[in-house]
């Protein structure tokens, strides 16, 4: 298996622009997680899906952030409009069932908003 | 609430041992341990479940003290490849799928 796939790996954009991050989970995994990692705040859970349904989005910082999972093999995280404080590494992870199973992380997307 | 990890950083020589602790104020059901090398994604090490036994593979093992809501990661006879940042992720309740990660412990192994 190729593991969790994320694209793009690097994104540089200007403040106010829309940013879309993409994730393909491991086939057969039914839980998908979006994390944001910064030096100041560490690894934060933004949202997670179970069987394509958003279960907990309490970590989404504000309405500028939205996430979708239209099918079992694809998810997006969108930021509109982007701001410099959104600069971070965004990880997508998938697992077989959540708390009782290991999470497999994708390589991450390094986002820089200028 | 975020679990508390200690120490924040540790430097040791190859062959030395280290212990990393993870404490929570909540009743835990599971504790996950991950290692992240610079510029890479976190990689799973092991899971400890409430009522479960101490886990380990190779020279890395972990324990889970349910009474103290605390987990410890033990690295024995450390190798250069052990360098990285170690995160614990805690799960509350057996049905809970999400984890809350600690702030990490940066481990540096010197030759």
């Amino acid at each position: 298996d190729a593991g969790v796939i994320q694209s793009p790996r690097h994104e540089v954009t200007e403040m106010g622009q829309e940013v879309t991050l993409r994730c393909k989970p491991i086939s057969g995994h039914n839980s998908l997680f979006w994390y944001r990692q910064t030096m100041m705040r560490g690894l934060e859970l933004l949202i997670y899906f179970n069987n394509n349904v958003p279960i907990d989005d309490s970590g989404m910082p504000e309405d500028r952030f939205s996430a979708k999972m239209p099918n079992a093999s694809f998810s997006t995280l969108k930021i509109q409009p982007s701001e410099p404080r959104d600069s971070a590494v965004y990880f997508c992870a998938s697992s077989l069932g959540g708390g009782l199973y290991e999470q497999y992380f994708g390589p991450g997307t390094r986002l820089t908003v200028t | 609430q975020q679990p508390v990890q200690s120490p924040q950083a540790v430097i040791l020589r190859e062959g030395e041992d280290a212990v990393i602790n993870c404490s929570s104020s909540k009743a835990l059901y599971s504790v996950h341990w991950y290692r992240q090398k610079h510029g890479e994604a976190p990689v799973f090490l092991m899971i400890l479940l409430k009522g479960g036994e101490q886990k380990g593979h190779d020279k890395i093992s972990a324990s889970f003290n349910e009474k103290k809501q605390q987990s410890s990661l033990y690295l024995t006879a450390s190798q250069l490849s052990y360098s990285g940042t170690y995160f614990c992720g805690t799960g509350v309740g057996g049905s809970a799928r999400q984890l809350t990660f600690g702030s990490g412990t940066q481990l540096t192994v010197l030759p």
Side-chain angles (χ1 to χ4, degrees), chain B residues 60-81:
Chain B
I60 300 177
S61 62
S63 62
F64 182 11
N65 186 323
E66 296 173 34
K67 289 184 179 180
K68 293 184 177 180
Q69 302 306 323
Q70 179 177 331
S71 178
S72 296
L73 185 71
Y74 307 93
L75 299 102
T76 306
S78 58
Q79 306 168 14
L80 296 176
S81 61

Side-chain angles (χ1 to χ4, degrees), chain A:
Chain A
D1 201 317
V4 176
I5 299 172
Q6 289 187 249
S7 64
R9 294 292 308 275
H10 301 273
E11 177 80 34
V12 180
T13 190
E14 293 183 346
M15 182 173 63
Q17 296 298 306
E18 177 180 296
V19 175
T20 299
L21 311 181
R22 297 172 176 80
C23 175
K24 176 179 170 56
I26 293 173
S27 176
H29 284 189
N30 61 8
S31 292
L32 183 138
F33 308 83
W34 280 102
Y35 291 93
R36 176 173 68 176
Q37 186 174 39
T38 61
M39 287 294 293
M40 290 297 294
R41 301 176 69 89
L43 196 59
E44 302 173 276
L45 176 67
L46 299 177
I47 184 171
Y48 86 91
F49 295 84
N50 186 49
N51 292 324
N52 312 337
V53 176
I55 302 300
D56 185 353
D57 64 355
S58 59
M60 297 285 261
E62 47 198 278
D63 292 344
R64 297 184 297 106
F65 286 69
S66 62
K68 294 182 180 180
M69 191 165 186
N71 57 62
S73 59
F74 184 65
S75 176
T76 60
L77 178 68
K78 185 177 294 186
I79 307 173
Q80 166 63 19
S82 58
E83 296 183 3
R85 59 190 168 126
D86 301 331
S87 296
V89 179
Y90 291 81
F91 288 105
C92 173
S94 70
S95 79
L96 282 171
L100 303 182
Y101 297 90
E102 60 265 39
Q103 294 187 15
Y104 293 83
F105 283 75
T109 295
R110 181 173 294 277
L111 174 66
T112 303
V113 183
T114 60

Side-chain angles (χ1 to χ4, degrees), chain B residues 3-19:
Chain B
V4 178
Q5 285 188 235
S6 63
Q8 288 186 314
V10 58
I11 299 174
L12 56 157
R13 295 282 180 185
E14 201 172 5
E16 294 181 338
D17 302 339
V19 180

